[in-house]
Amino acid sequence: MNANGIFEYMKKYNHENLFLCQDDRADFKAVIAIHSTVLGPAAGGIRLWKYDSEMDAIEDALRLSRGMTYKYAAAGLNFGGGKIVVMADPKREDREVLFRTLGKFINRLGGKLLTGQDVGTTLDDMEYLFMETPYVNTLPQYLGGIGPISPSTAFGVIQGMRAGAKEVFGSDDLKGKVVAVQGLGSVGSSIVEQLHEIGSNLVITDINQEVSNSVANKIGARRVAPDEIFDVDCDIFCPCALGGILNEHTIPRLKCKLVCGAANNQLKDERQGDLLAQNGILYAPDYIVNSGGAVYDADRLGRTVNIERATKKVARIYQTTEKVFNIAKKKGIPTYRAADILAEERIKAISGVKRFWENMEIR
Ligand code: NAD
């Protein structure tokens, strides 16, 4: 996408809005993308990242917001897709200024966008945001939220992985399966811990050596260099870092039978989904298996927090993933396309119905 192609891109993928936000005093630049409000207010997390260019940030926000529309639709939630990209170093220390400034901008949207944590942000950041706007989903329990969501995202990915294992290995038991995990942040490290408890054999990597060493020592996993993770002889490859890592250079190196991980936008483009299928690798679509945190978090809206109910909803990712595999088999199409069909059918079916959350207070 280039500067003259923004409207064209938005038209192609049906985006509703794009907002550019800046405040020089706070050294603040952010992009807010709203893909759709058909099912409900747009929702999506905040990514704090150093982008090479403004166009990269805009494209990322647009791509990620569209992914959120599909994620919520397929998960059976009444939200549209949105995303916030803050163009700053994730290690920036003046968090209060940064997130209270962002809170002011979010508040201006009057509830058309609800937000929460994503790459580079923490629950503490959400508290600063909440000082300026009520439109924050992810909050600690003492502020009425459900607390950290990454363990639920991890739990959801594992449910998708079990469904995938059943499909390719004939059993959903992950004990003894060799899983290569890329990225050991909030979600990746929780996946590794949960898989370790199940009895999977883990091969791990992170660009942050300290994190990698500490996880390896804690659970006795084999550690490899970041670029070696694609060559690992494994049953399952689990990408939990950033997007675009399934591409024409990495896919031919994969030795697994199943790809299932938390990262958003794993396929560099749609052709990579076809390439995985041609190479005999089953792809559990990212936004189907990584919706656990969103499902868990959304459970509290308009009700009281109920962890047991929320966790049961996350566990349904197993059945949703199976549904996607079944659509793919029935129609003879790759799984990434089957996931889109599942989401698009729900948006079409629900779009005429008045949603329960309208006029509902969300604080
Ligand atoms: P995070 O920032 O906590 O962790 C990302 C980790 O990946 C970091 O430790 C980083 O050092 C590592 N990393 C980055 N590039 C790498 C590379 N090339 N090789 C190896 N490691 C690399 O982020 P997170 O919250 O754990 O999210 C991980 C992914 O899952 C993201 O794509 C995010 O959008 C997606 N996701 C997260 C959630 C959630 O609940 N946090 C929900 C849905 C999707």
Side-chain angles (χ1 to χ4, degrees):
M1 189 170 67
N2 59 45
N4 283 326
I6 299 176
F7 280 112
E8 202 181 307
Y9 185 98
M10 290 174 72
K11 192 172 153 191
K12 181 171 174 195
Y13 294 110
N14 282 321
H15 284 82
E16 293 179 11
N17 297 114
L18 182 68
F19 302 94
L20 302 183
C21 316
Q22 85 81 31
D23 184 340
D24 197 26
R25 287 159 309 169
D27 186 18
F28 179 88
K29 274 195 238 162
V31 180
I32 301 180
I34 293 186
H35 175 255
S36 167
T37 53
V38 172
L39 290 182
I46 301 160
R47 180 163 288 195
L48 180 59
W49 200 250
K50 246 174 149 175
Y51 287 88
D52 288 341
S53 73
E54 292 171 2
M55 287 311 297
D56 283 356
I58 290 172
E59 190 165 354
D60 209 25
L62 287 169
R63 248 161 70 91
L64 289 163
S65 67
R66 179 166 174 263
M68 292 309 293
T69 298
Y70 279 73
K71 181 183 303 195
Y72 286 121
L77 295 173
N78 290 313
F79 294 108
K83 200 78 187 184
I84 299 175
V85 156
V86 178
M87 298 175 67
D89 188 338
K91 294 196 186 108
R92 209 170 125 166
E93 285 180 2
D94 55 343
R95 310 298 276 202
E96 180 171 4
V97 171
L98 199 63
F99 285 93
R100 290 186 71 170
T101 304
L102 176 60
K104 295 264 186 214
F105 283 109
I106 293 168
N107 211 38
R108 277 189 174 175
L109 299 176
K112 288 284 173 214
L113 177 82
L114 308 174
T115 194
Q117 252 181 288
D118 187 37
V119 173
T121 59
T122 66
L123 263 192
D124 290 343
D125 299 330
M126 300 304 112
E127 280 197 58
Y128 289 131
L129 208 62
F130 197 53
M131 289 176 189
E132 302 296 340
T133 179
Y135 304 118
V136 189
N137 271 5
T138 326
L139 283 170
Q141 290 190 348
Y142 58 83
L143 287 177
I146 205 160
I149 61 166
S150 301
S152 300
T153 303
F155 175 67
V157 170
I158 291 172
Q159 304 321 302
M161 199 179 277
R162 289 176 54 232
K166 190 170 166 209
E167 195 66 26
V168 288
F169 307 117
S171 158
D172 63 11
D173 190 356
L174 298 173
K175 190 173 174 191
K177 289 280 171 284
V178 180
V179 187
V181 183
Q182 179 197 42
L184 304 166
S186 345
V187 185
S189 60
S190 183
I191 288 181
V192 163
E193 275 171 28
Q194 294 181 41
L195 285 176
H196 177 64
E197 281 202 5
I198 292 171
S200 308
N201 294 324
L202 293 148
V203 185
I204 57 168
T205 195
D206 196 290
I207 47 169
N208 183 333
Q209 291 253 348
E210 242 174 74
V211 171
S212 220
N213 288 339
S214 118
V215 174
N217 292 338
K218 195 168 161 195
I219 60 159
R222 180 156 77 91
R223 188 172 59 82
V224 295
D227 189 52
E228 286 170 23
I229 198 76
F230 302 105
D231 305 311
V232 169
D233 219 335
C234 61
D235 298 303
I236 302 164
F237 175 55
C238 178
C240 299
L242 295 182
I245 52 92
L246 296 172
N247 54 53
E248 57 278 22
H249 306 293
T250 57
I251 292 173
R253 292 165 61 186
L254 294 177
K255 298 190 175 71
C256 59
K257 287 267 172 273
L258 171 66
V259 171
C260 178
N264 279 313
N265 294 331
Q266 289 165 30
L267 302 173
K268 193 183 123 208
D269 52 51
E270 293 190 340
R271 281 170 308 164
Q272 313 306 327
D274 302 331
L275 185 58
L276 279 171
Q278 283 157 23
N279 287 10
I281 298 173
L282 181 67
Y283 172 60
D286 46 13
Y287 68 78
I288 298 291
V289 301
N290 74 11
S291 65
V295 171
Y296 187 73
D297 210 14
D299 183 72
R300 78 173 175 97
L301 293 176
R303 308 190 193 101
T304 50
V305 168
N306 183 322
I307 288 182
E308 197 187 332
R309 179 182 60 213
T311 306
K312 270 191 190 157
K313 286 188 184 167
V314 177
R316 286 187 210 145
I317 288 175
Y318 184 109
Q319 284 78 23
T320 311
T321 311
E322 276 188 320
K323 238 186 242 177
V324 169
F325 295 152
N326 289 337
I327 295 173
K329 277 189 280 185
K330 199 167 150 200
K331 294 189 182 285
I333 54 175
T335 52
Y336 77 87
R337 185 62 207 124
D340 285 358
I341 288 174
L342 183 76
E344 283 159 7
E345 282 181 353
R346 177 158 188 272
I347 294 171
K348 198 169 160 209
I350 304 296
S351 58
V353 183
K354 186 174 164 39
R355 247 61 57 208
F356 77 92
W357 47 263
E358 276 175 4
N359 304 321
M360 182 184 278
E361 218 180 286
I362 57 148
R363 266 186 93 140

